[in-house]
């Protein structure tokens, strides 16, 4: 008998090890109750990763990985002993650190916030400089004027259900989570397909094998704000008397597409899944949310058969900036009240945020928004120093009124200049995903959070307060703050939850770089196809499946009753299929929305295909 330590490079690694039947009979471990049948090749590939169990031999790199697994080898049989707790998430279902006591009495859990995060971005993009040329606008309008470099987009193979399926399942897999450990699942989206039927209920198919149907939460919609509302619901639940000790999971996802014209370059797509629980590395500050909600028709989707919004671009900018002013004022008042209670008369300013992130419809608006917060600090300061420091030379603007300055060029220019250094320090890094992928709507601000986590070390993040401004047209907005844990232990053997969170996102840039560039002509054709086929019954998508990233869920067909079916690309390109591919054989004429002709689906599904649908089971 001997012991070996298996570093968990990815969830499938562990599964492949345990499930190799030729090595150990029928033995397998199914923590998610999902047996993955993976062959000997995979085992051989990962065999070199097995290291004799010796603490001193564990390298730092290994320690940063999601977990280490102690395995007993006896008489050719492998058995799982325990996981060395490098993972913030216990592999045991249902309970976790900070769970409610056994007597069921709810105690207020400590440090509730984001424990783990997963971001999904489409595998293809259009270059904004090429799009400027294609659209016949002046060079620089999209790239400099809006600050956008690339725009991710989906073919007709992806919809809101598939985006959320992908993000949720990857989060569960990468963090070795059992579906039984989730007690609440919230979806924030403004991409509506089935109207009365939620995306959340579609996602419940992922839970079926676990048998866990005791999962609260449902979809929340208000333009780009739905993700934040969903996240607040999750945090509130964990902090409430309703909490049963399990994690909450939040997924924000959208496909942001616009009709041809000035708004089209501000599109994008993606999904962010977040695990919410106590003892989190990113803790929600209690009592510090500044909210502003108001009625406006700046952006809305009244056309039920179109994916496109009706948008009043200039009004939306005015609403966004107005909401920012109001939320910041409320937030500042609340933090002053907290500080006063603690006996401090300190004034809050932007300097108190280590990072400041914003909902990003396009990057230039975010840069202007940071400048706007400096304007707010300046105007609210009883006696600003205009001789030196950040407000130097700004005395001419002392009497301006916020509501008169949304499009005031002089104010904008002066405060953009004054805030340039703060922007570089606190906000610029957060725009990685936004600049490279565009506006994702609900996940946009969480893509900014992921960008910050991906580009800063745990030591740089530890103890910082992150300001978060979330805006959704119509309109609803909140400015709130997240406190990063002090514990940045990089861990030779046991690393901090913050270290694990940042490590899980450290490949963000390479994921963005690995996407496929598509010519604007093809992008435009794709948009036309989506436009013409959106909400058709009896539809078989035409987009390539091979171009999707491994592990991506995709739409295989919409049947005559608009029921959708999905399949998943395998996670390991070289490994056996986890979910079979369904290759579309669609050559049929696609009826217009006005002439929906019921037809029998002509889809060939191989024996290995794993398909889920949102229809009847
Ligand atoms: C944002 C939106 C209104 C811009 O469309 P538009 O009116 O055609 O764009 P503009 O003419 O204002 O040009 C955009 C910027 O590029 C600048 N620009 C134009 N041509 C340029 C060029 N050749 N080089 C550099 N900059 C250029 C403009 O000066 C403008 O900058 P400014 O905002 O600092 O004034 C439009 O994309 C939209 O409606 N988007 C969707 C809604 C949205 O994102 N709202 C945001 C709040 S939620």
């Amino acid at each position: 008998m001997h012991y070996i330590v298996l570093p968990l490079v990815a969830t499938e690694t562990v599964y492949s090890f345990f499930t190799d039947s030729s090595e150990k009979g029928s033995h397998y471990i199914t923590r998610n109750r999902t047996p993955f049948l993976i062959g000997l090749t995979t085992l051989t590939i990962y065999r070199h990763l097995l290291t004799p169990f010796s603490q001193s031999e564990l390298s730092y790199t290994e320690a940063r990985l999601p977990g280490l697994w102690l395995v007993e080898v006896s008489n050719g049989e492998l058995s799982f002993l325990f996981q060395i707790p490098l993972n913030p998430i216990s592999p045991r279902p249902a309970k976790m650190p900070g769970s409610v006591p056994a007597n069921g009495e709810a105690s207020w859990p400590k440090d509730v916030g984001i424990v783990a995060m997963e971001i999904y971005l489409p595998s293809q993009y259009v270059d904004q400089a090429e799009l400027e040329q294609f659209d016949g606008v002046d060079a620089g309008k999209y790239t400099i004027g809006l600050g956008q470099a690339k725009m991710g987009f989906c073919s007709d193979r992806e919809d809101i259900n598939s985006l959320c399926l992908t993000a949720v399942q990857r989060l569960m897999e990468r963090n070795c989570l059992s579906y039984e450990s989730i007690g609440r699942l919230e979806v924030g989206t403004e991409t509506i397909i089935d109207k009365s039927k939620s995306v959340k209920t579609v996602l419940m198919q992922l839970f079926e094998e676990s048998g866990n149907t005791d999962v609260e939460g449902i979809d929340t919609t208000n333009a780009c704000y739905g993700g934040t509302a969903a996240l607040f619901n999750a945090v509130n639940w964990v902090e409430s008397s309703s909490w049963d000790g399990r994690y909450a999971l939040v997924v924000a996802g959208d496909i942001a597409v616009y009709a041809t014209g000035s708004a089209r370059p501000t599109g994008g797509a993606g999904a962010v899944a977040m695990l919410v629980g106590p003892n989190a590395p990113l803790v929600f500050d209690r009592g510090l949310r500044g909210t502003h909600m108001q009625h406006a028709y700046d952006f809305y989707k009244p056309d039920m058969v179109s994916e496109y919004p009706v948008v009043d671009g200039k009004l939306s900018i005015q609403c966004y900036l107005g909401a920012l002013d109001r939320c910041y004022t409320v937030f500042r008042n609340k933090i002053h009240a907290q500080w006063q209670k603690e006996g401090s008369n300190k004034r809050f300013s932007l300097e108190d945020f280590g990072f400041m992130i914003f909902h990003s419809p396009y990057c230039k608006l975010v840069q202007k928004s940071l400048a706007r917060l400096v304007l707010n600090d300046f105007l609210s300061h009883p006696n600003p120093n205009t001789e030196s420091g950040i407000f130097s030379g700004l005395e001419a603007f002392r009497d301006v009124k916020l509501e008169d300055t949304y499009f005031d060029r002089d104010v904008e220019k002066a405060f953009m200049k004054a805030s340039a250094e703060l922007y570089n320090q606190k906000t610029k890094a957060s725009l990685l995903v936004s600049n490279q992928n565009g506006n994702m709507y609900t996940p946009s601000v969480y893509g900014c959070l992921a960008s910050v986590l991906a580009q800063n070390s745990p030591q740089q993040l530890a103890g910082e307060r992150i300001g978060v401004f979330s805006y959704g047209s119509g309109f609803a907005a909140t400015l709130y703050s997240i406190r990063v844990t002090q514990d940045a232990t990089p861990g030779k053997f046991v690393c901090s939850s913050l270290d694990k969170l940042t490590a899980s996102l450290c490949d963000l840039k390479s994921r963005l770089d690995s996407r496929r560039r598509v010519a604007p002509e093809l992008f435009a054709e794709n948009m036309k196809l989506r436009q013409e086929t959106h909400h058709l019954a009896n539809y078989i998508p035409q987009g390539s499946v091979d171009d999707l990233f491994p592990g991506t869920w995709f739409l295989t067909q919409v049947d005559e009753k608009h029921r959708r079916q999905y399949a998943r690309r395998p996670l390991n390109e070289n490994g056996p299929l986890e979910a079979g591919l369904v290759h579309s054989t669609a050559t049929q004429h696609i009826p217009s929305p006005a002439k929906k002709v019921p037809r029998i689906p002509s889809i060939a599904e191989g024996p290995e295909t794993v398909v889920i649908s949102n229809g009847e089971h």
Side-chain angles (χ1 to χ4, degrees), residues 194-208:
D194 292 325
K195 300 192 187 91
S196 70
K197 179 168 165 53
S198 62
V199 175
K200 151 70 181 288
T201 52
V202 175
L203 296 176
M204 286 310 294
Q205 291 169 108
L206 293 174
F207 289 68
E208 273 175 18

Side-chain angles (χ1 to χ4, degrees), residues 157-169:
R157 281 287 174 193
E158 292 183 90
D159 62 17
I160 185 57
N161 293 338
S162 72
L163 290 186
C164 292
L165 281 165
T166 304
V168 168
Q169 191 164 7

Side-chain angles (χ1 to χ4, degrees), residues 202 205 208 563-566 611-617:
V202 175
Q205 291 169 108
E208 273 175 18
R563 293 172 301 191
R564 291 167 181 255
Q565 291 198 339
Y566 300 90
V611 178
I612 61 176
S613 77
N614 63 358
E616 294 149 7
H617 297 291

Side-chain angles (χ1 to χ4, degrees), residues 40-52:
L40 187 60
T41 331
T42 321
L43 176 66
T44 313
I45 289 168
Y46 291 116
R47 193 183 284 278
H48 72 278
L49 292 169
L50 306 180
T51 317

Side-chain angles (χ1 to χ4, degrees), residues 64-118:
R64 283 175 61 94
L65 296 172
L68 294 172
W69 296 76
L70 185 58
V71 175
E72 180 184 327
V73 183
S74 175
N75 299 329
E77 281 281 308
L78 292 175
S79 44
F80 165 72
L81 289 186
F82 61 85
Q83 182 197 19
I84 297 166
L86 297 182
N87 196 312
I89 297 144
S90 161
R92 287 182 302 278
K95 291 292 169 189
M96 59 180 171
S99 290
V100 284
N103 64 9
E105 291 268 316
S107 60
W108 197 320
K110 200 171 159 288
D111 291 343
V112 177
I114 299 169
V115 176
M117 219 175 170
E118 177 66 33

